[in-house]
Amino acid sequence: MATKVTYLDNSGFMVEGPDVILIFDYFRDPAHEVKKALSHDSDRPVVFFVSHRHPDHFNPEIFNLAQNRRRVYVISNDVVANDIRDDVPVEWMSAGDVAEGLPGDIRVRAFGSTDAGVSYLVTMPDGFRIFHAGDLNYWHWKDESTLAEVEREHNRYTVILNRIASEVPEVDVAFFPVDTRLGADCQAGAVQFLSAIKVADFFPMHFKGEFDKACDFGAWNLPEAVVARTKLYCLHTPGDCETL
């Protein structure tokens, strides 16, 4: 399956498959890639995903997009209902929920997060799997937190990650936060994720502007098995894209 991945901004990505367009955590689109894609193709339906309520992951502007085609909004239950238009189709999701029969015949499974909302697993009809973490991460803040707080956050993250890995040992594409505000080991959550789940193509996100540090893959100390099976990408300028 030919799949085009386009970076929008922050944790926002557009994934174009042959039968459906998926848009994750639209915050803004300074390169206007979503509008370009929608203007070039009037047939494929669109599914918008909102992992949680934070304004750098949810922009109500999504309700003004794709109005000329079939569209569905998959939205975490932590988003305030008053922020949602009442004339659009919405699938509300909490951790553990499953949505089927969506445009493109995709299946969506919501998992937990260590911050607000959920993370998403999207399975295409041919079995192609896409994971978007939302704000699921090992948010350790070691420079500001006590050792007990750091350990608690690691345990919270590990519990959720192990639950995901037990159900989803392999994915084709993963989008995962690598936030440089976490300091020198900002990639720790991503490395643990890649060690627990076999990922074919991995895209870091949520850089907060310092993509060069986030994408210093040589400093990640990845296990050899991960290096052998996973291709790492660094889409950091809005509009950057890769075809898989």
Side-chain angles (χ1 to χ4, degrees), residues 3-234:
T3 302
K4 182 180 178 182
V5 175
T6 302
Y7 176 64
L8 304 178
D9 201 355
N10 195 50
S11 297
F13 287 88
M14 177 170 60
V15 179
E16 298 177 71
D19 300 315
V20 67
I21 297 174
L22 312 177
I23 298 174
F24 295 92
D25 280 9
Y26 181 104
F27 161 45
R28 57 190 176 200
D29 178 20
H32 308 292
E33 292 298 329
V34 171
K35 290 183 179 178
K36 291 176 189 175
L38 299 183
S39 66
H40 292 161
D41 175 358
S42 60
D43 296 325
R44 282 179 295 179
V46 183
V47 182
F48 293 87
F49 295 85
V50 178
S51 68
H52 62 287
R53 65 181 182 274
H54 293 166
D56 59 344
H57 292 257
F58 168 53
N59 185 341
E61 172 64 22
I62 59 176
F63 302 121
N64 298 323
L65 299 172
Q67 296 186 65
N68 62 336
R69 68 185 68 211
R70 185 184 178 197
R71 55 182 172 149
V72 171
Y73 296 85
V74 179
I75 300 177
S76 167
N77 269 317
D78 75 303
V79 176
V80 178
N82 288 343
D83 292 336
I84 310 301
R85 276 179 32 183
D86 58 9
D87 62 340
V88 297
V90 174
E91 287 280 349
W92 293 98
M93 303 290 283
S94 295
D97 288 348
V98 174
E100 298 181 296
L102 298 175
D105 199 24
I106 65 171
R107 181 180 190 270
V108 179
R109 168 79 154 87
F111 289 94
S113 175
T114 45
D115 201 337
V118 298
S119 50
Y120 288 119
L121 175 73
V122 181
T123 304
M124 310 298 273
D126 62 358
F128 191 87
R129 287 175 161 181
I130 301 166
F131 183 84
H132 190 284
D135 264 357
L136 170 67
N137 195 8
Y138 169 28
W139 298 108
H140 49 73
W141 309 110
K142 290 183 177 178
D143 295 336
E144 305 171 19
S145 305
T146 66
L147 184 61
E149 289 170 335
V150 170
E151 183 176 352
R152 183 189 66 213
E153 289 306 310
H154 184 258
N155 289 340
R156 288 182 64 231
Y157 173 57
T158 300
V159 167
I160 295 174
L161 177 58
N162 287 346
R163 184 174 298 126
I164 297 170
S166 68
E167 296 187 34
V168 191
E170 299 183 30
V171 299
D172 296 281
V173 177
F175 304 105
F176 197 93
V178 182
D179 192 325
T180 57
R181 295 175 300 173
L182 292 170
D185 54 353
C186 61
Q187 77 287 349
V191 172
Q192 188 175 347
F193 181 88
L194 288 166
S195 300
I197 298 173
K198 294 179 180 179
V199 179
D201 295 299
F202 181 86
F203 295 83
M205 62 184 187
H206 211 277
F207 304 137
K208 296 305 179 186
E210 298 185 272
F211 72 87
D212 53 339
K213 295 180 182 179
C215 295
D216 185 10
F217 301 131
W220 282 28
N221 295 319
L222 287 165
E224 290 185 8
V226 174
V227 174
R229 69 188 178 221
T230 303
K231 187 169 183 179
L232 306 173
Y233 297 85
C234 186

